[in-house]
């Protein structure tokens, strides 16, 4: 069974926590150390960002991390090499988060084949048109048993959400707002109403809520309304500040208590 599916199947009574970081930031060679540190700290799933020069869905924190990673020399090929080197040491699901341009340059089939070879279980491609996913990407991803995770936002229609739910597997990434990534102090009534509406739809796939989670209030709101939460910008900020993933994770867990 794909590790993403196994994670949700085996943890229906426990709220999950997934973290994002950008490969190659703060250092080119640190990818493996960050992943292994996350696993030691009990993180359930990891999103590894593929740096890109124009990350449209991301806020200033992740944009800055992308820029630094690219300056450090991170590429798709280099990232797969780093992941392959630790494949046998990592048990939790890895999800690659990256934009379509670098993946197409690498080659779509080669990309999914490399995912298998390096222990990657899924991918999130924010700018992948859904028609292209169905016609081009999904058949290749299915061939290699890699999950392609789709995002929904408060602006996604119910019809579209149900179509995504029908044609994807693994989990649905619920973006907490229609804006870019970045830490928020709380979720307002409109976002909570959106969470409640999605809950009432009784979708087939589990959901993870991301964007804006940085403290106890936002974490609790996300975990109360989905299978778990995804944290990105807050952890990326801490990792860049202290450089050491173990220290950054300790600081993150402290921040999530308040």
């Amino acid at each position: 069974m794909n590790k993403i599916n196994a994670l949700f199947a085996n943890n229906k009574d426990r709220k999950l926590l997934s973290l994002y970081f950008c490969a190659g930031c703060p250092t080119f060679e640190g990818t493996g150390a960050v992943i292994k540190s996350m696993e030691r700290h009990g993180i359930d799933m990891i999103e590894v960002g593929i740096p890109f020069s124009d990350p449209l869905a991301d806020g200033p924190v992740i944009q800055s991390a992308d820029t630094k990673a690219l300056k450090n020399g991170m590429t798709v090929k280099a990232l797969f090499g780093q992941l392959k080197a630790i494949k046998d040491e990592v048990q939790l699901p890895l999800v690659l988060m990256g934009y379509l341009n670098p993946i197409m340059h690498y080659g779509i089939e080669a990309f999914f084949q490399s995912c298998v070879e390096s222990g990657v279980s899924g991918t999130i491609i924010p700018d992948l048109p859904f028609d292209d996913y169905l016609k081009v990407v999904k058949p290749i991803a299915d061939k290699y048993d890699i999950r392609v995770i789709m995002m929904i936002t408060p602006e996604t229609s119910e019809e579209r959400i149900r179509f995504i739910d029908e044609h994807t597997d693994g989990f649905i990434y619920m973006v907490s707002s229609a804006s870019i990534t970045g830490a928020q102090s709380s979720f307002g009534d409109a976002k909570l109403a959106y969470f409640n509406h999605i809950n009432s739809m009784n979708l087939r796939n589990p959901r993870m809520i991301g964007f804006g989670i940085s403290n106890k209030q936002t974490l609790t709101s996300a975990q109360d309304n989905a299978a778990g939460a995804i944290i990105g910008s807050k952890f990326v900020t801490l990792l860049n500040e202290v450089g050491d993933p173990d220290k950054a994770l300790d600081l993150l867990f402290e921040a999530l208590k308040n």
Side-chain angles (χ1 to χ4, degrees):
M1 181 185 288
N2 181 284
K3 286 184 179 180
I4 294 172
N5 296 91
L7 175 68
F8 289 99
N10 296 330
N11 292 278
K12 292 181 179 179
D13 298 322
R14 185 173 69 84
K15 296 301 183 179
L16 304 176
L17 180 60
S18 177
L19 296 187
Y20 166 95
F21 77 102
C22 179
C25 179
T27 65
F28 173 81
E29 67 279 356
T31 303
V34 174
I35 291 171
K36 287 187 281 186
S37 176
M38 286 185 182
E39 186 159 44
R40 287 195 303 271
H41 280 76
I43 302 304
D44 297 297
M45 182 167 57
I46 299 174
E47 289 181 23
V48 184
I50 302 171
F52 182 49
S53 57
D54 193 21
L56 298 176
D58 294 308
V61 170
I62 294 178
Q63 287 182 21
S64 177
D66 279 15
T67 299
K68 188 170 186 177
L70 291 171
K71 287 181 178 178
N72 286 342
M74 182 53 67
T75 64
V76 177
K77 182 178 179 180
L79 173 55
F80 277 129
Q82 292 179 348
L83 295 177
K84 192 172 183 179
I86 63 166
K87 177 182 178 182
D88 295 336
E89 303 174 57
V90 177
Q91 302 303 315
L92 79 179
L94 300 179
V95 178
L96 288 186
M97 174 95 158
Y99 290 83
L100 190 56
N101 184 280
I103 294 171
M104 290 188 68
H105 275 286
Y106 190 82
I108 293 176
E109 179 135 12
F111 177 82
F112 286 103
Q113 183 174 351
S114 293
C115 283
V116 174
E117 294 169 351
S118 58
V120 172
S121 300
T123 184
I124 301 169
I125 310 172
D127 58 343
L128 173 64
F130 201 76
D131 287 347
D132 290 344
Y133 159 71
L134 286 176
K135 295 174 183 176
V136 179
V137 175
K138 187 178 187 300
I140 299 172
D142 288 349
K143 174 182 173 182
Y144 292 100
D145 195 32
I146 301 298
R147 302 294 174 260
V148 180
I149 307 304
M150 289 289 169
M151 292 176 156
I152 62 171
T153 77
E155 296 182 352
T156 308
S157 69
E158 183 167 329
E159 180 182 12
R160 183 73 163 184
I161 293 169
R162 293 199 182 279
F163 193 68
I164 289 171
D165 188 46
E166 180 182 353
H167 293 284
T168 62
D169 190 19
F171 69 96
I172 291 174
Y173 192 132
M174 267 181 75
V175 177
S176 68
S177 69
S179 63
I180 56 176
T181 58
Q184 301 174 35
S185 60
S186 64
F187 291 143
D189 291 342
K191 290 177 184 176
L192 294 177
Y194 158 60
F195 297 162
N196 288 332
H197 175 64
I198 301 302
N199 283 333
S200 72
M201 291 178 66
N202 296 314
L203 299 176
R204 179 178 62 88
N205 280 296
R207 287 109 45 222
M208 296 285 284
I209 295 177
F211 283 44
I213 298 168
S214 63
N215 57 20
K216 184 177 180 179
Q217 183 175 356
T218 49
L219 176 65
T220 300
S221 294
Q223 291 185 327
D224 283 349
N225 288 280
I230 300 168
I231 297 176
S233 295
K234 181 67 175 181
F235 177 70
V236 171
T237 296
L238 293 170
L239 183 60
N240 284 332
E241 286 176 353
V242 300
D244 180 281
D246 288 320
K247 292 179 181 177
L249 285 161
D250 289 341
L251 290 170
L252 175 67
F253 288 135
E254 190 62 34
L256 294 176
K257 294 177 183 178
N258 302 312

